[in-house]
Amino acid sequence: MAFPTREPHQAFHLSMLLNDSRYRSYTIQIFVLMCLMLGIAWLVDNTVRNLALLGKDFSFSFLWSTAGYDINQRLIEYDTQMTHGRAALVGLLNTVVLGVLSCALATIIGVVAGVLRLSGNPIVARLMAVYVEVFRNIPLLLWILVFGAIMSEAVPAPNAFKGENATASMIFGAVAITNRGVFIPEPLFTRGLGTLNLGIVEPSLNAIAVLVVVIACVLVSRVLVRHANREQSQTGVRPVIWWKTITVLLAPPLLLWALGFHLGYPELRGFNFQGGVQLRNSLIAMWLGLSIYTGAFIAENVRAGILAISKGQTEAAHALGLRPGKTMRLVILPQALRVIVPPLISQYLNITKNTSLGLAVGYMDLRSTLGGITINQTGRELEGMLLLMLIYLSLSLIISGSMNAYNARVGLKER
């Protein structure tokens, strides 16, 4: 009978850190980490010494000093006597608004162009191919400048809307497109609930109430539909819920009526339009440039996602009697989402970061306010750039986390 014999215990020697394969990888990793930390320490020490030689310290106190410059496009109250921190907040909100608008429009353009590029009509498919190849092969900055030039030079001035022999007219009497911006109706309330003082911003309670009611109605409607689907799958009989759905959907209009909701239309007074909401040409140029340019990339993502679905799915849907439109909407696109969403996240991140090009057409985003005028006035380039990097990193992580959660929801579930 044989018994296993234990290997003799070997005493540890320093030479084993390199010669023994059990310790070599740890030795290399610790050495690289120490070199990296020494490099960072050298950079920080060198920066502090150079700042001291220039008579500067590392401080963010400049955010509480008076900004002294104006911002033409703003969502919250702001004037030149407010602080640089307030100006940075206005720029951040402008960045967020531009990013959200561009992501929404780019998604719509990309989905439509991607589906049409697979159309059986050769003219439509070729036109979409031309759109994709033209826009994605020319730098984004050039497209932004082109749209900025169109909005400044190709649209009429406000005085073209004046007089009996006016050469321009408002769209449906409500929207005016001029070389000073696009004027649209603004929502107004005759019975306001006031504002909610949060210290930094004061959002309208009317807008919050309407938003809460709309979200609640959508959630309740979805619950009703799910309940009806579940009961139908269990009993084979679908319950009547149309009157419940209509009752729920009546809540927002009733709230708007109670608050005295109406629209304030822009009117030409003097040399420019007054009233309504003015969308600056810089915002329109950035919005169109980012959306149409990124839409070309999203179109290719959508096309790739659709082509990844087996033709058998389409043939099975047609065999069940579904028309091509319903087949694409109910069968193909839901399955293609698991291929489309991952690259779509990258496109949304690109849009968010490319909003920093707004300075080219005078759009006052975060890069133009905090990363531009504030740094030039205060000389705090290091602190300003660190803040910019931190804010853009936070925005990107929020977008990436949200889209990853959505991707996990639409992904295939293994049973």
Side-chain angles (χ1 to χ4, degrees):
M1 184 175 183
F3 295 95
T5 58
R6 293 184 177 179
E7 296 182 357
H9 179 69
Q10 186 179 5
F12 178 78
H13 301 286
L14 288 177
S15 60
M16 296 172 65
L17 293 177
L18 292 177
N19 298 329
D20 194 323
S21 61
R22 293 175 298 174
Y23 306 110
R24 187 182 302 125
S25 62
Y26 295 104
T27 303
I28 295 174
Q29 292 179 50
I30 292 174
F31 177 76
V32 172
L33 179 61
M34 292 180 63
C35 290
L36 179 62
M37 294 179 66
L38 286 174
I40 294 175
W42 177 82
L43 283 176
V44 172
D45 179 70
N46 200 31
T47 303
V48 172
R49 289 174 182 272
N50 288 334
L51 287 176
L53 290 175
L54 294 173
K56 293 182 178 179
D57 57 348
F58 188 79
S59 172
F60 293 96
S61 58
F62 69 95
L63 292 175
W64 282 265
S65 59
T66 303
Y69 62 89
D70 195 14
I71 300 177
N72 51 23
Q73 186 86 46
R74 52 183 178 266
L75 295 176
I76 59 175
E77 186 181 356
Y78 173 81
D79 59 52
T80 57
Q81 298 304 312
M82 292 187 174
T83 64
H84 284 289
R86 184 78 175 185
L89 179 61
V90 174
L92 173 61
L93 292 177
N94 286 345
T95 295
V96 172
V97 167
L98 177 60
V100 171
L101 292 176
S102 300
C103 286
L105 184 57
T107 304
I108 296 173
I109 294 174
V111 171
V112 172
V115 172
L116 291 181
R117 195 169 181 189
L118 297 172
S119 170
N121 188 322
I123 297 177
V124 174
R126 293 291 177 85
L127 285 176
M128 290 301 104
V130 169
Y131 155 67
V132 170
E133 297 302 331
V134 168
F135 272 87
R136 74 174 182 177
N137 289 307
I138 295 178
L140 171 60
L141 180 60
L142 296 182
W143 285 118
I144 292 174
L145 293 175
V146 167
F147 285 114
I150 291 174
M151 293 304 299
S152 300
E153 305 296 336
V155 296
N159 57 15
F161 295 80
K162 184 183 295 183
E164 297 180 355
N165 298 322
T167 56
S169 60
M170 300 176 65
I171 301 175
F172 301 117
V175 179
I177 301 176
T178 74
N179 60 359
R180 296 185 182 178
V182 178
F183 296 83
I184 61 175
E186 62 176 332
L188 297 174
F189 299 93
T190 55
R191 290 178 286 276
L193 299 176
T195 58
L196 180 62
N197 188 0
L198 297 178
I200 300 177
V201 295
E202 296 182 358
S204 169
L205 286 175
N206 288 349
I208 294 176
V210 172
L211 184 62
V212 169
V213 170
V214 169
I215 293 176
C217 290
V218 172
L219 293 177
V220 172
S221 298
R222 294 187 64 177
V223 170
L224 290 174
V225 172
R226 287 181 182 177
H227 174 72
N229 292 337
R230 185 168 57 250
E231 189 167 338
Q232 184 181 13
S233 63
Q234 294 174 351
T235 64
V237 180
R238 188 174 184 83
V240 178
I241 62 169
W242 62 267
W243 62 273
K244 296 179 182 178
T245 305
I246 292 177
T247 304
V248 171
L249 295 179
L250 282 177
L254 289 176
L255 177 62
L256 292 175
W257 174 78
L259 294 175
F261 173 79
H262 63 281
L263 294 175
Y265 294 95
E267 297 179 0
L268 183 60
R269 300 172 187 170
F271 298 102
N272 200 2
F273 282 89
Q274 305 294 328
V277 177
Q278 181 183 7
L279 304 177
R280 299 274 177 177
N281 285 336
S282 55
L283 171 63
I284 301 297
M286 286 295 298
W287 185 20
L288 294 178
L290 287 172
S291 303
I292 300 178
Y293 175 81
T294 312
F297 292 89
I298 296 177
E300 287 300 274
N301 297 335
V302 172
R303 187 170 72 96
I306 294 174
L307 291 176
I309 306 303
S310 167
K311 286 187 177 180
Q313 299 287 326
T314 303
E315 295 170 356
H318 289 169
L320 292 174
L322 292 180
R323 293 181 177 277
K326 284 190 174 182
T327 300
M328 179 62 67
R329 183 165 53 87
L330 300 177
V331 178
I332 304 301
L333 280 180
Q335 298 183 76
L337 279 178
R338 66 179 187 271
V339 179
I340 296 172
V341 171
L344 190 63
I345 299 174
S346 299
Q347 298 306 325
Y348 286 172
L349 295 178
N350 288 337
I351 286 178
T352 305
K353 290 177 287 189
N354 286 335
T355 56
S356 59
L357 295 174
L359 189 62
V361 288
Y363 183 67
M364 299 296 285
D365 67 329
L366 184 64
R367 168 67 182 84
S368 302
T369 55
L370 176 62
I373 302 176
T374 294
I375 286 180
N376 290 334
Q377 286 187 358
T378 62
R380 297 288 182 177
E381 62 279 353
L382 179 61
E383 295 89 337
M385 286 300 167
L386 287 176
L387 272 179
L388 274 179
M389 294 169 63
L390 180 62
I391 293 173
Y392 278 114
L393 176 63
S394 302
L395 290 176
S396 298
L397 290 178
I398 291 173
I399 294 172
S400 180
S402 303
M403 292 301 295
N404 282 328
Y406 177 72
N407 188 35
R409 182 181 176 187
V410 300
L412 291 178
K413 305 292 189 303
E414 295 184 359
R415 299 178 179 176

